[in-house]
Amino acid sequence: MIPESFEYHAPQTLAEASRLIAQFGQEGKILAGGHSLLPLMKLRLASPRHLVDIGRVAELKYIREDADKIQIGALTTHYQIESSELLKQKCPLLPETAREIGDVQVRNKGTLGGSLAHADPAADWPAAILALGGEVEARSESGSRWIPAQEFFVEMLTTTLQADEILTAIRVPALPAHAGEAYVKFAQPASGFAIVGAAARVVLDDAGAVAEVGVGITGVAAKPYRAAAVEGVLRGHSPTAKRIAEAAAHAAEGVEVNADLYASAEYRTHLAAVYTRRALEKAVERAGGK
Amino acid sequence: MRIRIKLNGSWREDDVEPRLLLVYYLREVAGLTGTHIGCETTTCGACTILLNGEAVKSCTVLAVQADGAEITTIEGLASDGKLHPLQQGFWEEHGLQCGFCTPGMIMAACQLLGRNPHPTREEIRQGLEGNICRCTGYQHIVKAVEFAAQKISPQSTVES
C-alpha cells in the first residue's frame, strides 16, 4: 500500500502554506496529522500532485480561552484535546468526544482541523462542533472568514472550504452555568467509526426549563447534521424523561438515512433516537436538571 | 528528499522518496526489522513506534513527516545488553505467543507507562486499545505490563 508519487512541501508558517496551496489549486492537498488523508492516498483513492504538510506550522497548535469562547488551533491533536485541563472544565464535550476517536495512537497524530476538513460522515468531531454551535475559521491569502458549523458540511467528504483556503481554527462557546454536554456513540466494532453518534448541549434557565439546546448527529446521513426537530420539542420546556424521549424520537427527521452492511436505515433510525435520548439525558443530568 | 532522524539515540541522514512510509524507512532503509508491518491500515498496531515520545502507527506516517524528529523503536529499548523492564515483563509473564504483535504492544505500553506509571488493569487495556494480538494472549500481556510498571517504579501493594 504505497501512495502514488507526489511533491512534498513543508512550510514553516501559515503565510507560506497559504501561498503554496493557492499556487497548486486542485492539484494540492493539505496534510495535517495525516490520519484521514494518508489512508486514502495508500488506497489511491486520493493522489494529489502536491502535498503541503502544515505539521510544522507552530501557530496552528494552541488551545486558548477568549472571554466566553474557547478557540483551538486546527493542528491540535485529539490527544491534546482529550488531556486538556482547560477543556475538561470549560468545554467538557470536546475531551469526551476526543476519547471516542480511533485509538491511542490515532489520537496522538490525528488533528481536530484535519478531521473536520476531511468531513467523513461517520467522524466524531462534527457531532460535537454542531451541538456546540461552533464556528470554523478558513484562511487564504485574501483573508479569513468564520463559517458556522451548520454551513460547513456540504456532502460526504465535502465542506464549504475553497481550494485556496486552509482550516485554521475552531471556536466554541465555553460552558456557562446550569449547562451540560454529552457525546455518546454506537461504534462500528472493527473500525470504531460511528454507526450513530449523538452530541448534546443543554443550558437550563432558573426555573429548570431548557433555555438553549444543541444536538449534533453523525454516522446517520451523508453529512453530519444538527437535529433541529429534536431541539424544537425541548426548547422552553422542562426536560422530563418523557419530554426527552419525545424529542429524541425526531432524531433522524428530514434526513436520508444511510444503510450499509452494518445497519439498515430502519435500524439506524432507531439507534439515532436511542443515542440522542441518552446524550440528552446525560447532558440534562450534568446541567443539574432532573 | 534528504531527511535527518534521531533513531534510537543517534542521528542519521537519508535520501528518501516523499511517498515512503515511515515503517518502510525503518525496516528497509535503516534495516531495523523489529517494527512489524501488519495490516497497513492503521488498525492492528504492529508498527507502533515512539515519534517524539508519542506512540504512533508508522504505517500511517510518511518518513518525510518525521524529518528532524526523534524515533524510538523496539531495538532502542534494551541498554547495555539488558532488557527493558517491559521486555523482561513479556518474557517473565508469557506476554507473547507468536510474537508478531509484541514490538508494537511493547512500544504502546512504553508510552502508557510514561503517561501513567501505575495503571490499573482496565487502564492497561485502554492504553493498548490500538494493538491487536491475534493469538488473543491479552491476559498475559496485561500481566506483563503490570510486571514492568512494578519494576520501573515499585509501589507497595495497596491493602484491600
Side-chain angles (χ1 to χ4, degrees), chain B residues 80-139:
Chain B
D80 303 327
K82 251 190 92 197
L83 293 181
H84 183 278
L86 272 164
Q87 293 170 310
Q88 217 181 324
F90 273 70
W91 179 303
E92 295 293 339
E93 298 292 337
H94 313 287
L96 59 144
Q97 289 177 54
C98 83
F100 194 85
C101 72
T102 311
M105 285 284 178
I106 289 181
M107 298 317 290
C110 197
Q111 169 189 265
L112 168 69
L113 295 183
R115 286 179 179 174
N116 179 1
H118 300 290
T120 62
R121 287 193 169 181
E122 186 50 36
E123 286 166 342
I124 293 172
R125 287 176 183 274
Q126 282 167 8
L128 299 177
E129 66 180 331
N131 295 72
I132 294 170
C133 165
R134 263 322 50 139
C135 307
T136 70
Y138 294 107
Q139 302 286 3

Short mmCIF file of all heavy atoms in Angstrom, two decimals, chain B residues 80-139:
data_model
loop_
_atom_site.label_atom_id
_atom_site.label_comp_id
_atom_site.label_asym_id
_atom_site.label_seq_id
_atom_site.Cartn_x
_atom_site.Cartn_y
_atom_site.Cartn_z
N ASP B 80 22.82 -1.62 27.18
CA ASP B 80 23.97 -2.40 27.67
C ASP B 80 23.64 -3.89 27.77
O ASP B 80 23.98 -4.55 28.76
CB ASP B 80 24.42 -1.90 29.06
CG ASP B 80 24.77 -0.42 29.01
OD1 ASP B 80 25.26 0.03 27.96
OD2 ASP B 80 24.54 0.28 30.02
N GLY B 81 22.91 -4.38 26.77
CA GLY B 81 22.60 -5.81 26.77
C GLY B 81 21.60 -6.23 27.81
O GLY B 81 21.36 -7.42 28.01
N LYS B 82 20.97 -5.24 28.46
CA LYS B 82 19.96 -5.58 29.48
C LYS B 82 18.58 -5.24 28.96
O LYS B 82 18.35 -4.15 28.46
CB LYS B 82 20.23 -4.76 30.76
CG LYS B 82 20.76 -5.59 31.92
CD LYS B 82 20.78 -4.80 33.21
CE LYS B 82 19.49 -5.00 33.99
NZ LYS B 82 19.27 -3.99 35.02
N LEU B 83 17.68 -6.20 29.08
CA LEU B 83 16.33 -5.97 28.59
C LEU B 83 15.65 -4.82 29.33
O LEU B 83 15.87 -4.61 30.54
CB LEU B 83 15.47 -7.24 28.75
CG LEU B 83 15.83 -8.45 27.91
CD1 LEU B 83 14.84 -9.59 28.20
CD2 LEU B 83 15.83 -8.12 26.42
N HIS B 84 14.82 -4.09 28.61
CA HIS B 84 13.96 -3.07 29.22
C HIS B 84 12.94 -3.80 30.11
O HIS B 84 12.56 -4.94 29.81
CB HIS B 84 13.26 -2.31 28.09
CG HIS B 84 12.39 -1.18 28.54
ND1 HIS B 84 11.10 -1.37 28.99
CD2 HIS B 84 12.61 0.15 28.62
CE1 HIS B 84 10.58 -0.17 29.33
NE2 HIS B 84 11.48 0.75 29.10
N PRO B 85 12.49 -3.18 31.20
CA PRO B 85 11.53 -3.86 32.08
C PRO B 85 10.30 -4.40 31.35
O PRO B 85 9.75 -5.44 31.72
CB PRO B 85 11.13 -2.77 33.09
CG PRO B 85 12.31 -1.85 33.13
CD PRO B 85 12.92 -1.88 31.76
N LEU B 86 9.87 -3.70 30.29
CA LEU B 86 8.72 -4.21 29.53
C LEU B 86 9.08 -5.49 28.79
O LEU B 86 8.30 -6.45 28.75
CB LEU B 86 8.22 -3.16 28.54
CG LEU B 86 7.19 -2.18 29.09
CD1 LEU B 86 7.07 -0.97 28.18
CD2 LEU B 86 5.83 -2.84 29.28
N GLN B 87 10.28 -5.52 28.21
CA GLN B 87 10.72 -6.74 27.52
C GLN B 87 10.83 -7.89 28.52
O GLN B 87 10.41 -9.02 28.25
CB GLN B 87 12.07 -6.48 26.84
CG GLN B 87 11.97 -5.48 25.69
CD GLN B 87 13.32 -5.04 25.17
OE1 GLN B 87 14.19 -4.64 25.96
NE2 GLN B 87 13.51 -5.10 23.86
N GLN B 88 11.39 -7.56 29.68
CA GLN B 88 11.51 -8.56 30.74
C GLN B 88 10.13 -9.06 31.19
O GLN B 88 9.92 -10.25 31.38
CB GLN B 88 12.20 -7.89 31.93
CG GLN B 88 13.16 -8.76 32.67
CD GLN B 88 13.74 -7.97 33.84
OE1 GLN B 88 13.98 -6.76 33.72
NE2 GLN B 88 13.94 -8.64 34.95
N GLY B 89 9.18 -8.12 31.28
CA GLY B 89 7.82 -8.47 31.68
C GLY B 89 7.17 -9.43 30.69
O GLY B 89 6.54 -10.41 31.08
N PHE B 90 7.35 -9.14 29.40
CA PHE B 90 6.76 -10.02 28.38
C PHE B 90 7.41 -11.41 28.44
O PHE B 90 6.76 -12.43 28.19
CB PHE B 90 6.89 -9.40 26.98
CG PHE B 90 5.76 -8.46 26.64
CD1 PHE B 90 5.63 -7.23 27.28
CD2 PHE B 90 4.79 -8.81 25.70
CE1 PHE B 90 4.57 -6.36 26.98
CE2 PHE B 90 3.73 -7.96 25.39
CZ PHE B 90 3.62 -6.73 26.04
N TRP B 91 8.69 -11.43 28.77
CA TRP B 91 9.41 -12.70 28.92
C TRP B 91 8.88 -13.47 30.13
O TRP B 91 8.43 -14.61 30.04
CB TRP B 91 10.90 -12.38 29.07
CG TRP B 91 11.83 -13.53 29.26
CD1 TRP B 91 11.78 -14.48 30.25
CD2 TRP B 91 12.96 -13.86 28.46
NE1 TRP B 91 12.82 -15.37 30.11
CE2 TRP B 91 13.56 -15.01 29.01
CE3 TRP B 91 13.55 -13.29 27.33
CZ2 TRP B 91 14.71 -15.60 28.48
CZ3 TRP B 91 14.68 -13.87 26.80
CH2 TRP B 91 15.25 -15.01 27.36
N GLU B 92 8.88 -12.80 31.28
CA GLU B 92 8.53 -13.47 32.54
C GLU B 92 7.06 -13.89 32.61
O GLU B 92 6.73 -14.92 33.18
CB GLU B 92 8.82 -12.53 33.74
CG GLU B 92 10.29 -12.21 33.95
CD GLU B 92 11.10 -13.42 34.37
OE1 GLU B 92 10.51 -14.39 34.87
OE2 GLU B 92 12.33 -13.40 34.16
N GLU B 93 6.19 -13.06 32.07
CA GLU B 93 4.75 -13.30 32.22
C GLU B 93 4.14 -13.97 30.98
O GLU B 93 2.93 -13.97 30.82
CB GLU B 93 4.02 -11.99 32.53
CG GLU B 93 4.45 -11.33 33.83
CD GLU B 93 4.04 -12.12 35.07
OE1 GLU B 93 3.09 -12.92 34.98
OE2 GLU B 93 4.69 -11.95 36.12
N HIS B 94 4.97 -14.46 30.11
CA HIS B 94 4.49 -15.13 28.89
C HIS B 94 3.59 -14.21 28.06
O HIS B 94 2.51 -14.60 27.63
CB HIS B 94 3.75 -16.43 29.23
CG HIS B 94 4.49 -17.28 30.20
ND1 HIS B 94 5.63 -17.98 29.85
CD2 HIS B 94 4.32 -17.48 31.53
CE1 HIS B 94 6.09 -18.60 30.93
NE2 HIS B 94 5.32 -18.32 31.95
N GLY B 95 4.06 -12.98 27.87
CA GLY B 95 3.26 -11.98 27.16
C GLY B 95 3.26 -12.14 25.66
O GLY B 95 2.72 -11.29 24.96
N LEU B 96 3.92 -13.19 25.15
CA LEU B 96 3.86 -13.40 23.70
C LEU B 96 3.72 -14.88 23.37
O LEU B 96 4.20 -15.73 24.10
CB LEU B 96 5.09 -12.83 23.00
CG LEU B 96 6.47 -13.36 23.38
CD1 LEU B 96 7.36 -13.41 22.16
CD2 LEU B 96 7.07 -12.46 24.44
N GLN B 97 3.03 -15.10 22.25
CA GLN B 97 2.97 -16.46 21.72
C GLN B 97 3.72 -16.46 20.39
O GLN B 97 4.88 -16.80 20.33
CB GLN B 97 1.52 -16.91 21.59
CG GLN B 97 0.89 -17.14 22.97
CD GLN B 97 -0.56 -17.51 22.90
OE1 GLN B 97 -0.94 -18.46 22.21
NE2 GLN B 97 -1.40 -16.79 23.61
N CYS B 98 3.04 -15.99 19.32
CA CYS B 98 3.77 -15.97 18.04
C CYS B 98 4.74 -14.79 17.99
O CYS B 98 5.71 -14.81 17.24
CB CYS B 98 2.80 -15.92 16.87
SG CYS B 98 2.19 -14.29 16.45
N GLY B 99 4.47 -13.74 18.75
CA GLY B 99 5.40 -12.62 18.84
C GLY B 99 5.24 -11.53 17.81
O GLY B 99 5.94 -10.52 17.86
N PHE B 100 4.29 -11.70 16.89
CA PHE B 100 4.18 -10.72 15.81
C PHE B 100 3.74 -9.35 16.32
O PHE B 100 4.24 -8.32 15.90
CB PHE B 100 3.21 -11.21 14.72
CG PHE B 100 3.32 -10.41 13.46
CD1 PHE B 100 4.28 -10.72 12.51
CD2 PHE B 100 2.50 -9.30 13.24
CE1 PHE B 100 4.42 -9.95 11.36
CE2 PHE B 100 2.63 -8.53 12.09
CZ PHE B 100 3.59 -8.87 11.16
N CYS B 101 2.81 -9.33 17.27
CA CYS B 101 2.30 -8.05 17.77
C CYS B 101 3.20 -7.44 18.83
O CYS B 101 3.01 -6.30 19.23
CB CYS B 101 0.88 -8.23 18.34
SG CYS B 101 0.83 -9.10 19.93
N THR B 102 4.16 -8.24 19.33
CA THR B 102 4.91 -7.87 20.54
C THR B 102 5.65 -6.52 20.45
O THR B 102 5.52 -5.71 21.37
CB THR B 102 5.89 -9.00 20.92
OG1 THR B 102 5.16 -10.23 20.92
CG2 THR B 102 6.49 -8.76 22.28
N PRO B 103 6.40 -6.24 19.38
CA PRO B 103 7.09 -4.94 19.35
C PRO B 103 6.12 -3.77 19.47
O PRO B 103 6.37 -2.81 20.21
CB PRO B 103 7.78 -4.94 17.99
CG PRO B 103 7.92 -6.38 17.62
CD PRO B 103 6.71 -7.06 18.20
N GLY B 104 5.00 -3.86 18.76
CA GLY B 104 4.00 -2.78 18.83
C GLY B 104 3.37 -2.69 20.20
O GLY B 104 3.16 -1.60 20.73
N MET B 105 3.06 -3.85 20.78
CA MET B 105 2.48 -3.88 22.13
C MET B 105 3.43 -3.21 23.12
O MET B 105 3.03 -2.41 23.96
CB MET B 105 2.26 -5.33 22.59
CG MET B 105 1.08 -6.02 21.97
SD MET B 105 -0.46 -5.45 22.72
CE MET B 105 -1.62 -6.40 21.73
N ILE B 106 4.71 -3.55 23.02
CA ILE B 106 5.68 -3.02 23.97
C ILE B 106 5.84 -1.51 23.79
O ILE B 106 5.90 -0.76 24.77
CB ILE B 106 7.03 -3.76 23.84
CG1 ILE B 106 6.87 -5.19 24.38
CG2 ILE B 106 8.14 -3.02 24.57
CD1 ILE B 106 8.12 -6.04 24.33
N MET B 107 5.87 -1.02 22.54
CA MET B 107 6.02 0.41 22.33
C MET B 107 4.79 1.18 22.81
O MET B 107 4.90 2.26 23.39
CB MET B 107 6.31 0.73 20.85
CG MET B 107 7.61 0.11 20.31
SD MET B 107 9.05 0.21 21.41
CE MET B 107 9.40 1.95 21.37
N ALA B 108 3.60 0.62 22.59
CA ALA B 108 2.38 1.27 23.09
C ALA B 108 2.38 1.26 24.62
O ALA B 108 2.01 2.25 25.26
CB ALA B 108 1.14 0.57 22.54
N ALA B 109 2.83 0.14 25.20
CA ALA B 109 2.88 0.04 26.66
C ALA B 109 3.91 1.01 27.23
O ALA B 109 3.75 1.55 28.33
CB ALA B 109 3.22 -1.39 27.07
N CYS B 110 4.96 1.25 26.47
CA CYS B 110 6.02 2.17 26.88
C CYS B 110 5.45 3.57 27.06
O CYS B 110 5.70 4.24 28.06
CB CYS B 110 7.08 2.14 25.77
SG CYS B 110 8.63 2.79 26.29
N GLN B 111 4.64 4.01 26.08
CA GLN B 111 4.00 5.32 26.22
C GLN B 111 3.02 5.31 27.38
O GLN B 111 2.95 6.26 28.16
CB GLN B 111 3.27 5.70 24.94
CG GLN B 111 2.38 6.92 25.17
CD GLN B 111 1.47 7.22 24.03
OE1 GLN B 111 1.79 8.03 23.17
NE2 GLN B 111 0.33 6.57 24.01
N LEU B 112 2.25 4.22 27.50
CA LEU B 112 1.25 4.13 28.58
C LEU B 112 1.91 4.33 29.94
O LEU B 112 1.44 5.12 30.76
CB LEU B 112 0.57 2.75 28.53
CG LEU B 112 -0.30 2.37 29.73
CD1 LEU B 112 -1.55 3.23 29.79
CD2 LEU B 112 -0.67 0.90 29.69
N LEU B 113 3.03 3.64 30.19
CA LEU B 113 3.68 3.75 31.50
C LEU B 113 4.34 5.12 31.68
O LEU B 113 4.50 5.59 32.80
CB LEU B 113 4.71 2.64 31.69
CG LEU B 113 4.11 1.22 31.75
CD1 LEU B 113 5.20 0.18 32.03
CD2 LEU B 113 3.02 1.12 32.82
N GLY B 114 4.69 5.77 30.56
CA GLY B 114 5.22 7.14 30.65
C GLY B 114 4.14 8.10 31.11
O GLY B 114 4.39 9.00 31.91
N ARG B 115 2.92 7.90 30.60
CA ARG B 115 1.82 8.81 30.97
C ARG B 115 1.19 8.44 32.30
O ARG B 115 0.63 9.26 32.99
CB ARG B 115 0.74 8.77 29.87
CG ARG B 115 1.15 9.50 28.61
CD ARG B 115 0.04 9.40 27.54
NE ARG B 115 0.43 10.11 26.33
CZ ARG B 115 -0.27 10.09 25.20
NH1 ARG B 115 -1.40 9.40 25.13
NH2 ARG B 115 0.14 10.76 24.14
N ASN B 116 1.23 7.17 32.64
CA ASN B 116 0.55 6.66 33.83
C ASN B 116 1.37 5.51 34.41
O ASN B 116 1.19 4.36 34.03
CB ASN B 116 -0.86 6.19 33.42
CG ASN B 116 -1.65 5.63 34.59
OD1 ASN B 116 -1.18 5.61 35.73
ND2 ASN B 116 -2.86 5.17 34.31
N PRO B 117 2.29 5.81 35.35
CA PRO B 117 3.22 4.79 35.83
C PRO B 117 2.56 3.64 36.58
O PRO B 117 3.16 2.57 36.69
CB PRO B 117 4.15 5.58 36.77
CG PRO B 117 3.93 7.02 36.45
CD PRO B 117 2.54 7.13 35.91
N HIS B 118 1.37 3.86 37.12
CA HIS B 118 0.72 2.79 37.88
C HIS B 118 -0.70 2.54 37.36
O HIS B 118 -1.68 2.79 38.06
CB HIS B 118 0.68 3.13 39.37
CG HIS B 118 2.04 3.33 39.95
ND1 HIS B 118 2.93 2.29 40.13
CD2 HIS B 118 2.69 4.45 40.32
CE1 HIS B 118 4.06 2.76 40.61
NE2 HIS B 118 3.95 4.07 40.73
N PRO B 119 -0.82 2.04 36.14
CA PRO B 119 -2.16 1.85 35.58
C PRO B 119 -2.87 0.66 36.21
O PRO B 119 -2.23 -0.30 36.63
CB PRO B 119 -1.87 1.58 34.10
CG PRO B 119 -0.50 0.98 34.08
CD PRO B 119 0.24 1.60 35.23
N THR B 120 -4.19 0.77 36.28
CA THR B 120 -5.00 -0.39 36.67
C THR B 120 -5.06 -1.33 35.47
O THR B 120 -4.69 -0.95 34.36
CB THR B 120 -6.44 0.04 37.02
OG1 THR B 120 -7.03 0.61 35.84
CG2 THR B 120 -6.46 1.08 38.14
N ARG B 121 -5.60 -2.53 35.70
CA ARG B 121 -5.73 -3.47 34.56
C ARG B 121 -6.60 -2.87 33.47
O ARG B 121 -6.33 -3.03 32.28
CB ARG B 121 -6.32 -4.79 35.03
CG ARG B 121 -5.32 -5.57 35.84
CD ARG B 121 -5.72 -6.99 36.08
NE ARG B 121 -4.54 -7.67 36.62
CZ ARG B 121 -4.52 -8.95 36.94
NH1 ARG B 121 -5.57 -9.69 36.76
NH2 ARG B 121 -3.41 -9.47 37.42
N GLU B 122 -7.65 -2.18 33.88
CA GLU B 122 -8.56 -1.57 32.90
C GLU B 122 -7.80 -0.49 32.11
O GLU B 122 -7.94 -0.38 30.89
CB GLU B 122 -9.76 -0.97 33.65
CG GLU B 122 -10.86 -0.41 32.76
CD GLU B 122 -11.33 -1.37 31.66
OE1 GLU B 122 -11.37 -2.60 31.91
OE2 GLU B 122 -11.63 -0.89 30.54
N GLU B 123 -7.00 0.30 32.82
CA GLU B 123 -6.24 1.35 32.12
C GLU B 123 -5.19 0.76 31.17
O GLU B 123 -4.91 1.33 30.12
CB GLU B 123 -5.57 2.29 33.15
CG GLU B 123 -6.56 3.21 33.82
CD GLU B 123 -6.00 3.92 35.06
OE1 GLU B 123 -4.96 3.46 35.62
OE2 GLU B 123 -6.60 4.91 35.48
N ILE B 124 -4.63 -0.38 31.54
CA ILE B 124 -3.68 -1.05 30.63
C ILE B 124 -4.41 -1.47 29.36
O ILE B 124 -3.95 -1.24 28.24
CB ILE B 124 -3.03 -2.27 31.31
CG1 ILE B 124 -2.12 -1.81 32.45
CG2 ILE B 124 -2.22 -3.09 30.28
CD1 ILE B 124 -1.57 -2.94 33.31
N ARG B 125 -5.59 -2.04 29.53
CA ARG B 125 -6.37 -2.46 28.36
C ARG B 125 -6.72 -1.27 27.47
O ARG B 125 -6.66 -1.36 26.25
CB ARG B 125 -7.63 -3.21 28.79
CG ARG B 125 -7.30 -4.60 29.31
CD ARG B 125 -8.52 -5.33 29.85
NE ARG B 125 -8.10 -6.62 30.39
CZ ARG B 125 -7.97 -7.73 29.67
NH1 ARG B 125 -8.26 -7.70 28.39
NH2 ARG B 125 -7.56 -8.85 30.22
N GLN B 126 -7.08 -0.15 28.11
CA GLN B 126 -7.39 1.05 27.32
C GLN B 126 -6.15 1.57 26.60
O GLN B 126 -6.20 1.98 25.45
CB GLN B 126 -7.96 2.16 28.21
CG GLN B 126 -9.42 1.94 28.57
CD GLN B 126 -9.89 2.84 29.70
OE1 GLN B 126 -9.17 3.75 30.12
NE2 GLN B 126 -11.09 2.59 30.18
N GLY B 127 -5.01 1.52 27.29
CA GLY B 127 -3.77 2.01 26.71
C GLY B 127 -3.31 1.17 25.52
O GLY B 127 -2.54 1.63 24.68
N LEU B 128 -3.78 -0.08 25.46
CA LEU B 128 -3.39 -0.98 24.38
C LEU B 128 -4.54 -1.21 23.40
O LEU B 128 -4.52 -2.16 22.62
CB LEU B 128 -2.91 -2.33 24.96
CG LEU B 128 -1.70 -2.25 25.88
CD1 LEU B 128 -1.38 -3.64 26.44
CD2 LEU B 128 -0.49 -1.68 25.18
N GLU B 129 -5.54 -0.29 23.44
CA GLU B 129 -6.72 -0.50 22.58
C GLU B 129 -6.37 -0.47 21.09
O GLU B 129 -7.09 -1.02 20.27
CB GLU B 129 -7.78 0.58 22.87
CG GLU B 129 -7.31 1.98 22.46
CD GLU B 129 -8.32 3.09 22.72
OE1 GLU B 129 -9.51 2.83 22.69
OE2 GLU B 129 -7.86 4.23 22.94
N GLY B 130 -5.25 0.16 20.76
CA GLY B 130 -4.87 0.26 19.35
C GLY B 130 -3.97 -0.87 18.88
O GLY B 130 -3.37 -0.78 17.81
N ASN B 131 -3.84 -1.91 19.69
CA ASN B 131 -2.96 -3.03 19.34
C ASN B 131 -3.73 -4.34 19.41
O ASN B 131 -4.38 -4.62 20.42
CB ASN B 131 -1.76 -3.09 20.30
CG ASN B 131 -0.87 -1.88 20.15
OD1 ASN B 131 -1.23 -0.78 20.55
ND2 ASN B 131 0.28 -2.06 19.53
N ILE B 132 -3.63 -5.10 18.34
CA ILE B 132 -4.37 -6.36 18.28
C ILE B 132 -3.40 -7.54 18.37
O ILE B 132 -2.37 -7.55 17.70
CB ILE B 132 -5.18 -6.43 16.96
CG1 ILE B 132 -6.26 -5.35 16.98
CG2 ILE B 132 -5.80 -7.81 16.77
CD1 ILE B 132 -6.96 -5.18 15.65
N CYS B 133 -3.73 -8.50 19.24
CA CYS B 133 -2.97 -9.74 19.34
C CYS B 133 -3.85 -10.85 18.80
O CYS B 133 -4.88 -11.18 19.38
CB CYS B 133 -2.63 -10.04 20.81
SG CYS B 133 -2.06 -11.74 21.08
N ARG B 134 -3.44 -11.43 17.64
CA ARG B 134 -4.30 -12.43 17.04
C ARG B 134 -4.19 -13.79 17.71
O ARG B 134 -4.98 -14.69 17.50
CB ARG B 134 -4.06 -12.54 15.53
CG ARG B 134 -4.97 -11.79 14.60
CD ARG B 134 -6.45 -11.67 14.84
NE ARG B 134 -6.94 -11.23 16.15
CZ ARG B 134 -7.93 -10.38 16.35
NH1 ARG B 134 -8.53 -9.82 15.35
NH2 ARG B 134 -8.35 -10.09 17.55
N CYS B 135 -3.18 -13.96 18.57
CA CYS B 135 -3.15 -15.16 19.40
C CYS B 135 -4.10 -14.99 20.59
O CYS B 135 -4.30 -15.92 21.36
CB CYS B 135 -1.76 -15.42 19.96
SG CYS B 135 -0.44 -15.46 18.76
N THR B 136 -4.64 -13.78 20.76
CA THR B 136 -5.54 -13.40 21.85
C THR B 136 -4.93 -13.62 23.23
O THR B 136 -5.59 -14.03 24.16
CB THR B 136 -6.90 -14.13 21.76
OG1 THR B 136 -6.71 -15.51 22.06
CG2 THR B 136 -7.55 -13.97 20.40
N GLY B 137 -3.65 -13.32 23.34
CA GLY B 137 -2.98 -13.52 24.62
C GLY B 137 -3.08 -12.32 25.54
O GLY B 137 -2.11 -11.97 26.22
N TYR B 138 -4.21 -11.66 25.55
CA TYR B 138 -4.32 -10.38 26.24
C TYR B 138 -4.08 -10.46 27.75
O TYR B 138 -3.49 -9.57 28.34
CB TYR B 138 -5.68 -9.73 25.96
CG TYR B 138 -5.86 -9.35 24.50
CD1 TYR B 138 -6.69 -10.06 23.66
CD2 TYR B 138 -5.17 -8.26 23.96
CE1 TYR B 138 -6.84 -9.72 22.32
CE2 TYR B 138 -5.31 -7.91 22.63
CZ TYR B 138 -6.15 -8.64 21.81
OH TYR B 138 -6.30 -8.29 20.50
N GLN B 139 -4.56 -11.55 28.39
CA GLN B 139 -4.39 -11.64 29.85
C GLN B 139 -2.91 -11.55 30.22
O GLN B 139 -2.53 -10.81 31.13
CB GLN B 139 -4.95 -12.98 30.38
CG GLN B 139 -6.39 -13.24 30.07
CD GLN B 139 -7.33 -12.40 30.92
OE1 GLN B 139 -6.89 -11.56 31.71
NE2 GLN B 139 -8.62 -12.61 30.73
#
